[in-house]
Amino acid sequence: MQESKINDFVVRFANVNGTGSASANALFTKAVFRMGVPVTPKNIFPSNIQGLPTWYEVRVSEKGYLGRREGVDLMIAVNPQSMKKDYADVHAGGYFVYDSSKPLPPGYDREDITHIPIPLMNLCNAEYTDARQRQLFKNIIYIGALSALLDLEFAVLEGQIADQFKGKEKLIEPNIKALNIGVNYARENFDCPLDIRVERRDLLGDKILFGGNSACGLGAIYAGATVAAWYPITPSTSVVDAFTKYAAKYRVDPETGKNNYAIVQAEDELAAIGMVMGASWNGARSFTATSGPGLSLMNEFLGLGYFAEVPTVLIDVQRTGPSTGMPTRTQQSDILLAAYASHGDTKHPLLFPASPKECFEMTIDAFDLTERLQTPVIVMTDLDLGMNDHVTDPLVWDDSRIYDRGKVLTGQQLDRIAAASALGARATSLIDAEQPTNGDAGGHHADLPGHDGSNETAGQPLEQFKGKFGRYLDIDDDGIPYRTIAGTHATRGAFVTRGSSRDEYGVYTEDGDAYRRNVDRLAKKWETAKELVPQPEFLSEPGAVATGSRDGVIYFGTSTYAAEEALEFLAEEGIHLDAMRVRAFPFGQACRDFVDAHERIFVIEQNRDAQFRSLMMIELGVDASRLISVLNYDGMPITADNIFRQIKGTITK
């Protein structure tokens, strides 16, 4: 008698890339989701087009655990290339479903698992004559078999087939037929359902199943982006694909039918980010998306964006490096590269979303932050978050939200600056009710972290300019100067920029004092950024050892769900730890307070060299002995089991 597992198991599909298995396997995930049970799919695919092993792993968790779990309870093995390893990965007490059209080779004789032979190819050959149909419908047949074996509601699968082929109704019937072939074979040959099965629940409420890359693309639309320049690279390509799809729907003039957007596939990543910076300099909200190798190429322009202070949004969907690495595996390994991209003393704000909802929100925030701070802002997602579907809260947009275009001057304000000395307008305010500035450039946006929507931080007397606009003057003492959109005024304002040293008025100089004043102002702006970026979240009160433990845990991005599950495992063992999820860089006072409140900090991240730990040592001055790394870098998403073992092993030494 097997141990009963209801809504708590892992299924893995072992297929061959390019055989149409992905869409069939997704039927399984969506069926579980539609039955009201939390589910987490991971598509593990090779970087070639066809022929190599691919896996699709699905965790079903009634408790709502959304991170990856180790081990497999039910394996559907239809790829001879990987079958030996697939067989070994099944947990004791689990099930091994395989295509029995040919007998298993010697050695597949484990007594601690249940073998479920289904002659998939023979069933296909008996029903279909077309070779491609045989290949495709074999996948649907095993989904049908799982419907019987795991007690999936057949009506749910039928509904999904109908939705998937809406407008192509002639394909619905043969797919339903293939499902029934699998269902009938399973019921006739095995005791159905198995001891692992799905039972309908109502645990999801209004949650959705959505991917991070699509959420980023949609976020760019809601942020007001009209320009995307890019060069295709896995796993970021679908960010711009999504933006293209949404722009074609929402960025078309209803009267003329003309597109109100531009999407340019550049010759390489360096050209792509140059186009983005050019568009941003000219007032358009623009962005690019890339992964590690592309980020490497973009370093020169990122330095220009930092030094010339040009708003730039970059979405970095991280993959396994270095060099080409493993293009279709996930890591958090661009941290240091992104934080300090370019030579010289350069720093960039980074945002760390943990869910598709946060991908949507942080992409929008990135556009406000980049214009508020006049510096590149990088959204740090990864392949796991970007290319997999995730259960997430609904995406929400507030129609009253106003874009924060930052300190942008109008032509009228430039005229007033020029006239200020002659008029003696000592009390004239620079920022007044005459804004907004350009197009939809409103004032401050109240939802931006660290801002309440007021103009209190700006508005120094006009005399501060002393009758002459200075592009790099800091009249508000926050390190952020005022800018203009090229062409705002016929003769005044900034029309060009440079990446070489200049004074406060944009005039080229190699004077050391002028250079030092400029980079010191940029450092002051970095301090301002600490209050503007998204603040961390805590599982206990910030700055206090709420559990009485001397130890704390820090995690970020896609390590979040596994980390929080591991903390529950540790608590069950009597190990109670405070925890902080970092949502952005630079680190503000809240991060420093958390670190100062604990003697030892476990830092969870997915790279070999503990890059986030290094960032904490550099920026917070934390002694290395206080920071204990919890690492994973095999290209697979980190698991709660892994985190639990590493932390417990250290604490119980």
Side-chain angles (χ1 to χ4, degrees), residues 35 59 69 78 211 216 249 269 276 284 449 541 554 604:
M35 289 178 66
R59 182 180 186 182
R69 199 207 77 185
V78 292
C216 286
K249 185 173 182 179
E269 290 89 348
V276 166
E541 290 297 320
I554 288 178
I604 301 170

Side-chain angles (χ1 to χ4, degrees), residues 547-626:
T547 63
S549 170
R550 68 190 182 103
D551 296 327
V553 177
I554 288 178
Y555 51 88
F556 62 96
T558 52
S559 301
T560 295
Y561 296 117
E564 292 178 353
E565 183 179 356
L567 288 169
E568 290 189 26
F569 293 166
L570 290 164
E572 291 171 0
E573 299 273 331
I575 302 172
H576 299 278
L577 304 173
D578 294 330
M580 176 176 70
R581 177 168 76 94
V582 177
R583 301 173 67 225
F585 173 74
F587 307 130
Q589 189 62 43
C591 290
R592 183 175 295 278
D593 290 344
F594 182 87
V595 171
D596 290 346
H598 298 86
E599 296 179 27
R600 185 169 56 178
I601 307 288
F602 292 95
V603 184
I604 301 170
E605 52 186 309
Q606 301 184 62
N607 58 71
R608 183 195 69 183
D609 292 342
Q611 294 184 28
F612 198 87
R613 175 178 179 269
S614 296
L615 202 61
M616 292 178 61
M617 292 166 60
I618 295 168
E619 298 294 329
L620 297 176
V622 188
D623 186 86
S625 63
R626 295 179 57 207

Side-chain angles (χ1 to χ4, degrees), residues 38 129 163 455 504 572 637:
T129 57
D163 290 344
N455 290 326
E504 287 81 355
E572 291 171 0

Side-chain angles (χ1 to χ4, degrees), residues 105-184:
Y108 289 79
D109 52 4
R110 289 177 58 181
E111 296 183 357
D112 60 341
I113 64 175
T114 300
H115 298 73
I116 301 180
I118 302 176
L120 296 170
M121 187 54 68
N122 289 345
L123 292 171
C124 279
N125 290 343
E127 296 291 338
Y128 306 100
T129 57
D130 181 79
R132 181 59 177 166
Q133 282 188 337
R134 287 174 171 175
Q135 184 180 62
L136 294 174
F137 286 124
K138 180 173 73 172
N139 305 318
I140 303 298
I141 289 174
Y142 67 63
I143 295 297
L146 287 183
S147 174
L149 293 168
L150 302 181
D151 211 17
L152 287 175
E153 295 176 8
F154 191 79
V156 172
L157 289 170
E158 282 185 309
Q160 288 178 246
I161 294 289
D163 290 344
Q164 182 174 340
F165 295 108
K166 188 175 182 179
K168 301 178 181 178
E169 277 70 19
K170 66 179 182 180
L171 297 177
I172 295 176
E173 184 178 344
N175 276 276
I176 299 296
K177 178 182 177 181
L179 284 175
N180 276 305
I181 292 172
V183 169
N184 293 335

Side-chain angles (χ1 to χ4, degrees), residues 260-306:
N260 291 327
Y261 64 93
I263 299 173
V264 183
Q265 181 174 326
E267 60 267 35
D268 55 36
E269 290 89 348
L270 186 59
I273 198 167
M275 293 174 185
V276 166
M277 291 177 64
S280 295
W281 173 254
N282 281 281
R285 284 199 152 187
S286 57
F287 78 101
T288 188
T290 194
S291 191
L295 179 61
S296 297
L297 287 174
M298 292 177 178
N299 266 235
E300 184 175 354
F301 264 126
L302 287 169
L304 174 64
Y306 173 81

Side-chain angles (χ1 to χ4, degrees), residues 7 31-39 61-64 153 198-207 391:
N7 297 338
V32 176
F33 179 82
R34 291 188 180 188
M35 289 178 66
V37 180
V39 62
S61 174
E62 182 161 314
K63 292 182 179 180
E153 295 176 8
V198 182
E199 284 187 0
R200 178 173 284 277
R201 297 285 189 268
D202 186 15
L203 302 174
L204 295 172
D206 61 354
K207 292 184 183 296
V391 173

